[in-house]
């Protein structure tokens, strides 16, 4: 039976890749920012499991916290949605 850490790392890695792809490919900007935040949280969990708590804390505060919230606030203030750019 595979080690539990290997299964958790594989699941987190797959979740990181899938959410990063959703963040890049999705047309709705709000959902794209949410997928970016999920990807950043999964990456921070991977860092934590690799015994690097400082990198995990930095990724959580800067990646998921600062950048994702900044993108979200900028989108809300600008009133940007996916269908409005072409019209």
């Amino acid at each position: 039976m595979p080690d539990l850490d290997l299964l958790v790392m594989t699941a987190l890695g797959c979740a990181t890749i899938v959410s990063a792809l959703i963040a890049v490919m999705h047309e709705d900007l709000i959902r794209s920012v949410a997928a970016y935040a999920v990807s950043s949280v999964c990456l921070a969990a991977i860092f934590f499991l690799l015994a690097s708590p400082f990198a995990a804390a930095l990724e959580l505060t800067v990646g998921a916290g600062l950048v994702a919230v900044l993108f979200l606030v900028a989108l809300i203030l600008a009133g940007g949605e996916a269908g409005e750019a072409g019209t």
Side-chain angles (χ1 to χ4, degrees):
M1 183 168 173
D3 193 27
L4 182 62
D5 289 339
L6 179 64
L7 290 175
V8 171
M9 290 288 287
T10 304
L12 283 172
C14 290
T16 303
I17 292 171
V18 167
S19 61
L21 285 174
I22 289 172
V24 172
M25 300 294 218
H26 209 283
E27 291 184 14
D28 186 16
L29 296 176
I30 303 293
R31 289 185 180 155
S32 182
V33 169
Y36 170 74
V38 169
S39 174
S40 183
V41 168
C42 289
L43 188 61
I46 289 173
F47 283 149
F48 185 73
L49 288 176
L50 289 174
S52 182
F54 294 116
L58 184 70
E59 180 65 30
L60 273 178
T61 56
V62 174
L66 182 68
V67 175
V69 170
L70 183 66
F71 284 165
L72 191 60
V73 168
L75 283 173
I76 290 172
L77 289 178
E81 289 294 324
E84 293 178 10
T87 58

